[in-house]
Amino acid sequence: MDRVALRGLKARGHHGVFPREREEGQTFLVDLVMGLDTRPAAATDDLAKTVHYGVVAEEVVAIVEGDPVDLIETLAERIATQCLKHEGVQEVEVVVHKPDAPITVPFDDVTITITRSRV
């Protein structure tokens, strides 16, 4: 299976369990790796036969900027579900980064990584 990756998609969302997170919002970053067969697109040079990563990027940002959820696990699941709606995408790995998570000790990042497939 071939892979199309989007890394570092950035959007402001209001996700989290604390009132401050919901009110003020924070930056989330998303990495995606979508598994699909790119041979039909390569053979015909036809965008319609692969995944349009520009459209996927816009959809992911809309999800992050959209309805708030408590958990980044839920956010990752919503993103994966949307990616799998694209006809050629057979599987997707989603990483949601929450670099401004409300943690009281020094840290670089908090992430959740999920993999979902059509199977």
Side-chain angles (χ1 to χ4, degrees), residues 26 30 40 42 47 64 79 85 110-111:
Q26 59 192 293
V30 177
L47 176 61
V64 174
I79 292 167
K85 288 181 180 178
V110 173
T111 67

Side-chain angles (χ1 to χ4, degrees), residues 8-77:
L9 293 170
K10 187 184 292 190
R12 189 160 186 84
H14 294 267
H15 312 289
V17 296
F18 296 112
R20 189 182 106 247
E21 293 178 290
R22 292 294 183 107
E23 293 164 10
E24 297 175 14
Q26 59 192 293
T27 299
F28 292 84
L29 293 114
V30 177
D31 302 325
L32 301 173
V33 180
M34 295 172 284
L36 63 152
D37 183 357
T38 62
R39 289 176 291 192
T44 60
D45 202 28
D46 184 355
L47 176 61
K49 295 187 179 185
T50 187
V51 64
H52 191 313
Y53 51 78
V55 170
V56 173
E58 291 171 358
E59 292 170 347
V60 169
V61 167
I63 290 168
V64 174
E65 292 176 344
D67 293 334
V69 296
D70 287 344
L71 304 176
I72 58 174
E73 291 86 344
T74 306
L75 185 60
E77 190 70 33

